[in-house]
Structure formats: C-alpha cells, structure tokens
Amino acid sequence: MKPAHASFTKLIDCYFDTWSLFTQVLLTGPMFLYRQDGTTGQPEIPRHLQAAYCLLHLQPEVSLVEVRRHYREQAKLCHPDTGGQHVDFLALQQAYEDVVEYLQTV
C-alpha cells in the first residue's frame, strides 16, 4: 500500500496537468499561447493582415476554403442589396482579397 503523501502528490500532479491542458485548450489570452518549449500555440498572423482576419472572423490556422466560407457569410450581411453599407462591403472585399493572396503565397 502506498503512503498517503504519495497519493496526495499524484493527485496534485494530476490537478496541475489538467489545469495546464485546460489553459492551453480553452483560454486564448496571449500569456497562454506559449508552450513550455517556447513556441507559440497558434501560427502568427502578419501585422498587416490582423484587421482583415478580424473583419472576416478568421482564426490564424484557416484554410482557403474556410476563408471563402466566412467571406460569403459576411458578404450576405454587408451587401448593399441586403441593407448593408457599400463602404463596409468594399472593406470586406479588400480584406478577403488580401487574405487569399497571402495564403496562396505561404
């Protein structure tokens, strides 16, 4: 039979492992994006495209298919024929073109 302190130590280790996994999976704050090996948990969005990614509601690891899907969803909301503003629709189009151009070159 194990001594009581060994079981307690194992319980504490399990707790910290679970909490670490929780912070890596569920929390997206910048302090939790770094792994123990020093690399980031998500790919870095280029500074000049951060606004475009935000406008299209994209994650850093997005594919071209997902970009197109998000663009079409946002375009339905922003299109002038459906009550959206023309300027907003043009900004959305420009963001889409910039992101697609970047992803095709990467």
Side-chain angles (χ1 to χ4, degrees):
M1 185 170 158
K2 294 182 183 179
H5 68 280
S7 299
F8 181 73
T9 304
K10 186 174 181 179
L11 176 68
I12 295 298
D13 288 341
C14 182
Y15 172 78
F16 283 116
D17 290 343
T18 305
W19 180 252
S20 175
L21 180 63
F22 172 77
T23 57
Q24 290 175 1
V25 172
L26 298 177
L27 299 179
T28 58
M31 67 184 286
F32 295 113
L33 291 179
Y34 294 94
R35 297 181 184 162
Q36 291 178 351
D37 59 0
T39 61
T40 57
Q42 296 179 346
E44 191 71 27
I45 299 173
R47 192 168 199 80
H48 69 282
L49 290 176
Q50 288 179 354
Y53 270 72
C54 184
L55 187 62
L56 291 166
H57 303 285
L58 299 174
Q59 298 295 323
E61 65 278 348
V62 72
S63 69
L64 285 172
V65 174
E66 293 175 41
V67 172
R68 183 169 190 263
R69 183 176 56 85
H70 281 271
Y71 167 71
R72 290 176 65 88
E73 289 174 3
Q74 293 299 318
K76 288 177 186 176
L77 300 173
C78 294
H79 197 275
D81 290 344
T82 60
Q85 296 292 324
H86 183 68
V87 175
D88 294 337
F89 185 69
L90 291 177
L92 186 70
Q93 281 182 322
Q94 185 64 44
Y96 172 72
E97 292 171 6
D98 292 344
V99 170
V100 168
E101 181 182 335
Y102 169 74
L103 290 176
Q104 287 177 343
T105 60
V106 173

PDB file of all heavy atoms in Angstrom, residues 10-20:
ATOM      1  N   LYS A  10       0.492  12.517  -6.231  1.00  0.00           N
ATOM      2  CA  LYS A  10      -0.021  12.111  -7.530  1.00  0.00           C
ATOM      3  C   LYS A  10      -1.286  12.899  -7.881  1.00  0.00           C
ATOM      4  O   LYS A  10      -1.474  13.333  -9.019  1.00  0.00           O
ATOM      5  CB  LYS A  10      -0.302  10.616  -7.549  1.00  0.00           C
ATOM      6  CG  LYS A  10      -0.701  10.094  -8.898  1.00  0.00           C
ATOM      7  CD  LYS A  10      -0.827   8.594  -8.902  1.00  0.00           C
ATOM      8  CE  LYS A  10      -1.210   8.118 -10.295  1.00  0.00           C
ATOM      9  NZ  LYS A  10      -1.321   6.684 -10.372  1.00  0.00           N
ATOM     10  N   LEU A  11      -2.155  13.121  -6.904  1.00  0.00           N
ATOM     11  CA  LEU A  11      -3.371  13.896  -7.113  1.00  0.00           C
ATOM     12  C   LEU A  11      -3.041  15.337  -7.500  1.00  0.00           C
ATOM     13  O   LEU A  11      -3.632  15.898  -8.430  1.00  0.00           O
ATOM     14  CB  LEU A  11      -4.237  13.872  -5.853  1.00  0.00           C
ATOM     15  CG  LEU A  11      -5.502  14.716  -5.894  1.00  0.00           C
ATOM     16  CD1 LEU A  11      -6.496  14.122  -6.883  1.00  0.00           C
ATOM     17  CD2 LEU A  11      -6.109  14.829  -4.519  1.00  0.00           C
ATOM     18  N   ILE A  12      -2.081  15.928  -6.820  1.00  0.00           N
ATOM     19  CA  ILE A  12      -1.675  17.308  -7.122  1.00  0.00           C
ATOM     20  C   ILE A  12      -1.065  17.378  -8.518  1.00  0.00           C
ATOM     21  O   ILE A  12      -1.354  18.303  -9.288  1.00  0.00           O
ATOM     22  CB  ILE A  12      -0.693  17.835  -6.050  1.00  0.00           C
ATOM     23  CG1 ILE A  12      -1.391  17.931  -4.693  1.00  0.00           C
ATOM     24  CG2 ILE A  12      -0.103  19.171  -6.457  1.00  0.00           C
ATOM     25  CD1 ILE A  12      -2.554  18.898  -4.658  1.00  0.00           C
ATOM     26  N   ASP A  13      -0.228  16.425  -8.885  1.00  0.00           N
ATOM     27  CA  ASP A  13       0.356  16.402 -10.229  1.00  0.00           C
ATOM     28  C   ASP A  13      -0.725  16.290 -11.300  1.00  0.00           C
ATOM     29  O   ASP A  13      -0.684  16.982 -12.328  1.00  0.00           O
ATOM     30  CB  ASP A  13       1.343  15.241 -10.366  1.00  0.00           C
ATOM     31  CG  ASP A  13       2.622  15.474  -9.597  1.00  0.00           C
ATOM     32  OD1 ASP A  13       2.915  16.639  -9.257  1.00  0.00           O
ATOM     33  OD2 ASP A  13       3.335  14.473  -9.344  1.00  0.00           O
ATOM     34  N   CYS A  14      -1.700  15.445 -11.046  1.00  0.00           N
ATOM     35  CA  CYS A  14      -2.815  15.286 -11.983  1.00  0.00           C
ATOM     36  C   CYS A  14      -3.598  16.585 -12.108  1.00  0.00           C
ATOM     37  O   CYS A  14      -3.996  16.991 -13.201  1.00  0.00           O
ATOM     38  CB  CYS A  14      -3.708  14.141 -11.532  1.00  0.00           C
ATOM     39  SG  CYS A  14      -5.083  13.830 -12.638  1.00  0.00           S
ATOM     40  N   TYR A  15      -3.813  17.256 -10.993  1.00  0.00           N
ATOM     41  CA  TYR A  15      -4.533  18.521 -10.988  1.00  0.00           C
ATOM     42  C   TYR A  15      -3.805  19.557 -11.839  1.00  0.00           C
ATOM     43  O   TYR A  15      -4.413  20.238 -12.667  1.00  0.00           O
ATOM     44  CB  TYR A  15      -4.695  19.014  -9.552  1.00  0.00           C
ATOM     45  CG  TYR A  15      -5.260  20.409  -9.456  1.00  0.00           C
ATOM     46  CD1 TYR A  15      -6.615  20.648  -9.623  1.00  0.00           C
ATOM     47  CD2 TYR A  15      -4.423  21.494  -9.212  1.00  0.00           C
ATOM     48  CE1 TYR A  15      -7.130  21.929  -9.540  1.00  0.00           C
ATOM     49  CE2 TYR A  15      -4.923  22.771  -9.137  1.00  0.00           C
ATOM     50  CZ  TYR A  15      -6.274  22.993  -9.309  1.00  0.00           C
ATOM     51  OH  TYR A  15      -6.766  24.250  -9.228  1.00  0.00           O
ATOM     52  N   PHE A  16      -2.495  19.695 -11.656  1.00  0.00           N
ATOM     53  CA  PHE A  16      -1.737  20.686 -12.416  1.00  0.00           C
ATOM     54  C   PHE A  16      -1.667  20.328 -13.898  1.00  0.00           C
ATOM     55  O   PHE A  16      -1.714  21.206 -14.754  1.00  0.00           O
ATOM     56  CB  PHE A  16      -0.341  20.872 -11.818  1.00  0.00           C
ATOM     57  CG  PHE A  16      -0.357  21.712 -10.561  1.00  0.00           C
ATOM     58  CD1 PHE A  16       0.014  21.174  -9.356  1.00  0.00           C
ATOM     59  CD2 PHE A  16      -0.769  23.031 -10.600  1.00  0.00           C
ATOM     60  CE1 PHE A  16      -0.010  21.928  -8.207  1.00  0.00           C
ATOM     61  CE2 PHE A  16      -0.796  23.807  -9.454  1.00  0.00           C
ATOM     62  CZ  PHE A  16      -0.418  23.253  -8.247  1.00  0.00           C
ATOM     63  N   ASP A  17      -1.568  19.048 -14.214  1.00  0.00           N
ATOM     64  CA  ASP A  17      -1.581  18.640 -15.618  1.00  0.00           C
ATOM     65  C   ASP A  17      -2.920  18.978 -16.264  1.00  0.00           C
ATOM     66  O   ASP A  17      -2.974  19.465 -17.392  1.00  0.00           O
ATOM     67  CB  ASP A  17      -1.309  17.141 -15.747  1.00  0.00           C
ATOM     68  CG  ASP A  17       0.129  16.775 -15.413  1.00  0.00           C
ATOM     69  OD1 ASP A  17       0.993  17.685 -15.399  1.00  0.00           O
ATOM     70  OD2 ASP A  17       0.380  15.581 -15.151  1.00  0.00           O
ATOM     71  N   THR A  18      -3.996  18.730 -15.545  1.00  0.00           N
ATOM     72  CA  THR A  18      -5.330  19.039 -16.068  1.00  0.00           C
ATOM     73  C   THR A  18      -5.502  20.540 -16.239  1.00  0.00           C
ATOM     74  O   THR A  18      -6.021  21.005 -17.256  1.00  0.00           O
ATOM     75  CB  THR A  18      -6.414  18.483 -15.126  1.00  0.00           C
ATOM     76  OG1 THR A  18      -6.191  17.093 -14.950  1.00  0.00           O
ATOM     77  CG2 THR A  18      -7.798  18.726 -15.679  1.00  0.00           C
ATOM     78  N   TRP A  19      -5.062  21.310 -15.270  1.00  0.00           N
ATOM     79  CA  TRP A  19      -5.177  22.760 -15.362  1.00  0.00           C
ATOM     80  C   TRP A  19      -4.340  23.299 -16.514  1.00  0.00           C
ATOM     81  O   TRP A  19      -4.774  24.184 -17.248  1.00  0.00           O
ATOM     82  CB  TRP A  19      -4.762  23.410 -14.042  1.00  0.00           C
ATOM     83  CG  TRP A  19      -4.867  24.898 -14.108  1.00  0.00           C
ATOM     84  CD1 TRP A  19      -3.857  25.791 -14.155  1.00  0.00           C
ATOM     85  CD2 TRP A  19      -6.069  25.666 -14.175  1.00  0.00           C
ATOM     86  NE1 TRP A  19      -4.343  27.073 -14.236  1.00  0.00           N
ATOM     87  CE2 TRP A  19      -5.708  27.008 -14.258  1.00  0.00           C
ATOM     88  CE3 TRP A  19      -7.414  25.339 -14.181  1.00  0.00           C
ATOM     89  CZ2 TRP A  19      -6.643  28.038 -14.335  1.00  0.00           C
ATOM     90  CZ3 TRP A  19      -8.333  26.374 -14.267  1.00  0.00           C
ATOM     91  CH2 TRP A  19      -7.946  27.698 -14.338  1.00  0.00           C
ATOM     92  N   SER A  20      -3.162  22.764 -16.719  1.00  0.00           N
ATOM     93  CA  SER A  20      -2.317  23.188 -17.829  1.00  0.00           C
ATOM     94  C   SER A  20      -2.996  22.899 -19.165  1.00  0.00           C
ATOM     95  O   SER A  20      -3.004  23.736 -20.062  1.00  0.00           O
ATOM     96  CB  SER A  20      -0.972  22.475 -17.750  1.00  0.00           C
ATOM     97  OG  SER A  20      -0.183  22.779 -18.854  1.00  0.00           O
TER      98      SER A  20
END
